[in-house]
Amino acid sequence: MFDFGGGFEPEQRHGAGWQLDAGAGYALTARWSMALGGANLADAYPGRCNEDIHSFGNVPYDVLTPLGSNGRHLHGRVRHAS
């Protein structure tokens, strides 16, 4: 719950969900390595916000859910050890 002031505390309940995160790295040489990974690879989203907290449609997903509200995130890294 979140207090909007004046005693107004709307509720938002979300069902269970899964998030798949993975990453892998590879050593190219003794000094060079690379890695690729991602969070929320299935691009899952929580249920949409109810009308009490959706900011007039501008925030369709609750930003406080453990699943997140930004979808898939991919990243890569190249590292050189001196």
Side-chain angles (χ1 to χ4, degrees):
M1 291 199 299
F2 187 82
D3 185 357
F4 282 91
F8 179 56
E9 295 181 5
E11 278 192 35
Q12 175 75 43
R13 296 198 183 269
H14 299 282
W18 288 89
Q19 178 172 318
L20 174 63
D21 301 341
Y26 181 74
L28 301 167
T29 68
R31 293 183 177 213
W32 288 94
S33 65
M34 60 183 251
L36 298 172
N40 195 5
L41 292 173
D43 201 25
Y45 287 84
R48 296 183 77 83
C49 289
N50 63 35
E51 291 184 8
D52 289 336
I53 62 172
H54 77 343
S55 298
F56 303 102
N58 294 317
V59 183
Y61 303 104
D62 189 350
V63 297
L64 301 177
T65 65
L67 189 56
S69 60
N70 293 320
R72 179 182 303 122
H73 171 78
L74 304 173
H75 58 269
R77 177 183 72 229
V78 175
R79 183 183 301 182
H80 178 264
S82 46

